[in-house]
Amino acid sequence: MSTWVEIIEDAAPKFNKIATASDLVTWAEESQFALQAVMKNDKLAQCIPVTVQNAIINVAAVGLTLNPALGYAYLVPESEKAKDANGRDVWVQNCCLRVSFKGLLKIATDSGSILWVKAEIVKAADKFTYRGPCELPIHEMDAFGDRGVTVGAYCIAKTHQGDYLVDVMSAAEIGKIRGAAKQDGVRSKWPEEMAKKAIIKRASKQWPKTDREDRLDKAVAVLNEYEGSQELTAQPLEQPAKPAALPSPITDERLAKAMVKINAGEYTTEKLFASFQLTAAQHDFVNSELLI
């Protein structure tokens, strides 16, 4: 049975191949951040290993560290419904790379196309006047009062030439993007951050192009894959092979018999995990039996 240290280490060749081109993140640091995240989060530890490897490789693609102190990107477990080998619906844990609002802003400014960027939420009680794509909008609000429900969002970017680029998005448009997401958990917990990321993604299409914009495109591709997009089409990331059809569940009685054969040298844990999908409790049982 492979340990998480071994599983994560298997992603090193692909990670290093991508990371050496930009020299923004290193395997020595990111592999440790990834291992720490898995060890601290039981749900991450239950994720299909190849999805954890994919997420770590995407760290190299977007060039954002998993350092929790900076908060640019995170490994996040997501529950998804899939089919097992017998065609039955089962819930599995997949790992994805979540780029934060802060991380997206960093990539946007690092790309060199803009000097700074800011996104804001507009509420029903605010006074907001849109003055066109190249003029600063007027936004008046009671910062400490009840501003009502969200009615939209806007993004202001300042170029190195001193120009302003403005884009706006209605609540209805934000809702469409939310509806296209694979998972709604993060959007439900932090809807305003997700709305800001949505408007920045769309606004970035209008920003001046540079020779470093591919990093922003790749970050948008990661966001689109897990958070949905109605507007943007970004360069697809090169991904490792996706896992094949999921193995079938195994009963506790059959698992106990399999462990007898494993301890007798007649069967292996590799064949066990390849053939059956074990619950967290069953994984613990296997580990305890192997120590006997």
Side-chain angles (χ1 to χ4, degrees), residues 8-245:
I8 290 174
E9 191 62 30
D10 285 342
K14 193 90 172 191
F15 179 100
N16 287 325
K17 181 180 178 181
I18 298 173
T20 51
S22 58
D23 198 28
L24 293 169
V25 290
T26 65
W27 175 253
E29 292 183 345
E30 301 312 316
S31 60
Q32 288 305 305
F33 291 139
L35 182 61
Q36 290 168 13
V38 172
M39 294 297 99
K40 292 180 180 179
N41 190 321
D42 290 340
K43 289 187 177 181
L44 268 180
Q46 296 171 15
C47 288
I48 297 174
V50 72
T51 65
V52 177
Q53 293 170 339
N54 287 0
I56 296 172
I57 291 168
N58 279 345
V59 170
V62 301
L64 287 175
T65 180
L66 291 173
N67 187 340
L70 296 177
Y72 292 148
Y74 306 90
L75 297 182
V76 179
E78 297 281 10
S79 297
E80 293 187 15
K81 186 179 289 187
K83 298 288 185 181
D84 64 16
N86 296 319
R88 293 175 296 191
D89 288 334
V90 294
W91 285 96
V92 297
Q93 288 287 117
N94 287 335
C95 176
C96 68
L97 177 66
R98 183 76 63 183
V99 177
S100 71
F101 172 58
K102 186 190 300 185
L104 192 59
L105 291 182
K106 177 173 174 55
I107 295 177
T109 52
D110 285 353
S111 68
S113 64
I114 57 172
L115 188 60
W116 55 260
V117 59
K118 184 175 181 63
E120 290 288 352
I121 301 297
V122 181
K123 300 286 188 175
D126 298 351
K127 294 181 179 180
F128 180 79
T129 303
Y130 175 62
R131 303 168 65 198
C134 299
E135 295 288 336
L136 289 175
I138 298 174
H139 186 191
E140 298 178 2
M141 62 178 172
D142 181 357
F144 305 107
D146 183 3
R147 297 168 56 200
V149 299
T150 296
V151 295
Y154 67 95
C155 172
I156 303 173
K158 186 175 183 179
T159 70
H160 287 272
Q161 291 72 38
D163 299 319
Y164 292 102
L165 301 175
V166 182
D167 196 3
V168 295
M169 181 178 287
S170 68
E173 291 176 293
I174 295 171
K176 287 181 180 179
I177 294 174
R178 176 174 176 172
K182 285 186 178 181
Q183 299 290 332
D184 193 44
V186 175
R187 288 185 177 276
S188 298
K189 292 180 181 178
W190 297 285
E192 292 190 0
E193 178 173 333
M194 297 301 107
K196 290 178 180 179
K197 283 201 287 187
I199 185 61
I200 289 175
K201 284 196 302 179
R202 188 172 75 177
S204 67
K205 292 178 65 178
Q206 310 301 324
W207 296 343
K209 303 301 180 184
T210 72
D211 57 359
R212 290 174 287 170
E213 68 188 49
D214 61 320
R215 185 178 166 211
L216 181 59
D217 289 338
K218 289 171 183 175
V220 168
V222 171
L223 289 170
N224 287 349
E225 181 177 0
Y226 296 105
E227 298 179 10
S229 174
Q230 292 288 325
E231 299 291 337
L232 297 178
T233 55
Q235 300 172 3
L237 287 172
E238 183 182 3
Q239 295 280 6
K242 291 186 178 181

